[in-house]
């Protein structure tokens, strides 16, 4: 009996993988992970891979962290789960207090859920109901949300409704509520508007136009601060987020910051919005919150919003929303330990230093003619691959160049993923500079291997 072959067979027979064309998957040789250690994953055959996507953007301190393991063991010896509906538990209280202390400004009320998408659904429902609770007549029209072109906020129907990625979202259109789109400052592909400053100004002017006309209909604006991750690591020009905040204030629209991808140090500060001194009305966190151990997300807001939900039972101001595992003890205990370790290990300072190092290293990729654009904020990187630097034309799905690069990287011992024409690198936040260098070197080699045989304009 060969363990890999049995697992491969059962995987292909029984498991439906997310965001995966299963026809192609079933023709491929799947990667079956057995264990992890620090910055590395090991497959069932013992082959080692550098985890260059932080196991889908979640891992903070490395795999199999002894202190996180211990926190989980200690909690499971007490209790795994009791409900937060009408009762409380120790780790969820301590974690909420901690979140209130470390999140920007006056954010202080924590609503737990278990995935980023749920935290977004909750944010949208809170924002919508907030206006109804304070004055249902005056704000009867405030029912819509503004979001950016290319926005990604998760895969549940509400989160998809505020999404703007055609490829993922178009098919579900008849199921969705209407959103109000605003342009996203995708500077690399908007040079017809001018430089980054001009693109920023164009997007902000468009937003202000929308708000001037339609603010009465808008409950909130949702945005990923600094970088639109799933859109292909679209980095926003400096000052963009601050101006969006100002416009939201000016036109009485709630600002929802989706920090699910960019939070927990990913962009160089604990939360991305801190870099522009922005305090959202509602903030969504997920992914890295448990250090990559378990599913947890939270929607965090301030007293002004929370207080609008207070009232007598028959006033129906209650927020009728909750998930069965809301505030689960195991998850909250690991999250609390993760945050303590971020502080104790001075991870944020370390990330700032490593990001600089990575930035210098990444520049060598421009030696390769297919590298059109390198976008980076902290330890969040997108490399846009093009056929031709002048026309910026991308390879077709059929040509399969970017997936081939990803496969080649895997053969070279690095796991990364692509988003359309963009190779993404989301290293584990605790990776050393040497490991980051290795990551870039493998990406360089893999791009070179796949593209040298192509005849390309230089
Ligand atoms: C991943 C992601 C989500 C969705 O989180 P899930 O845990 O996958 O539901 C939402 N928003 C952003 C910005 C994300 O990157």
């Amino acid at each position: 009996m060969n363990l890999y072959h049995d697992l491969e067979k059962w995987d292909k027979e029984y498991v439906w993988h997310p965001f995966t064309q299963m026809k192609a998957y079933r023709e491929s040789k799947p990667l079956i992970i057995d264990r992890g250690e620090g910055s590395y994953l090991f497959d069932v055959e013992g082959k080692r891979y550098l985890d260059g996507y932080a196991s889908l953007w979640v891992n903070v301190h490395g795999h199999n962290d002894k202190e996180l393991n211990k926190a989980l063991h200690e909690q499971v010896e007490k209790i795994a789960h009791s409900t937060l509906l009408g009762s409380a538990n120790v780790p969820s209280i301590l974690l909420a207090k901690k979140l209130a202390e470390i999140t920007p400004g006056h954010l202080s009320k924590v609503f737990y859920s278990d995935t980023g998408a749920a935290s977004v659904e909750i944010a949208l429902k809170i924002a919508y109901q907030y206006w109804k609770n304070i004055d249902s007549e005056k704000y009867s029209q405030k029912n819509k949300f503004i979001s950016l072109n290319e926005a990604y906020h998760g895969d549940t129907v509400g989160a998809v409704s505020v999404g703007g990625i055609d490829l993922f979202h178009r098919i579900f259109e008849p199921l969705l509520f209407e959103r109000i789109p605003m342009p996203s400052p995708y500077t690399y592909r908007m040079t017809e508007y001018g430089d980054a400053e001009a693109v920023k100004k164009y997007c902000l002017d468009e937003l202000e136009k929308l708000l001037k006309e339609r603010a009465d209909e808008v409950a909130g604006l949702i945005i990923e601060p600094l970088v639109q991750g799933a859109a292909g690591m679209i980095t926003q020009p400096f000052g963009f987020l601050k101006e969006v905040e100002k416009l939201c204030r000016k036109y009485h629209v709630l600002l929802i910051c989706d920090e699910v991808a960019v939070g927990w140090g990913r962009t160089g500060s604990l939360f991305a919005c801190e870099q522009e001194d922005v305090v959202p009305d509602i903030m969504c966190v997920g992914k890295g919150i448990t250090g990559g151990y378990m599913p947890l997300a939270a929607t965090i807001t301030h007293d002004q919003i929370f207080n609008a939900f207070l009232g007598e039972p028959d006033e129906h101001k209650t927020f009728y929303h909750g998930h069965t595992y809301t505030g689960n003890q195991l998850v909250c205990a690991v999250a609390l330990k993760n945050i303590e370790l971020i502080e104790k290990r001075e991870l944020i300072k370390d990330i700032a230093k490593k990001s600089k190092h990575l930035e210098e290293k990444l520049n060598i990729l421009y030696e390769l003619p297919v590298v059109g654009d390198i976008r980076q904020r902290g330890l969040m990187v997108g490399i846009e691959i093009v056929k031709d630097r002048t026309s910026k034309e991308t390879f077709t799905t059929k040509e399969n160049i970017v997936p081939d690069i990803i496969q080649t990287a895997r053969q070279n011992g690095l796991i990364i993923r692509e988003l359309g024409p963009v190779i993404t690198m989301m290293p584990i936040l605790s990776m050393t500079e040497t490991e980051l260098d290795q990551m870039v070197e493998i990406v360089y080699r893999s791009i070179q291997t796949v593209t040298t045989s192509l005849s390309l304009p230089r």
Side-chain angles (χ1 to χ4, degrees), residues 57 114-118 120 152-155 224 230 258 260-261 287:
W57 313 3
D114 41 23
T115 65
V120 168
Y152 177 81
H153 298 289
D155 296 327
E224 284 183 78
D258 177 352
V260 172
K287 290 202 167 98

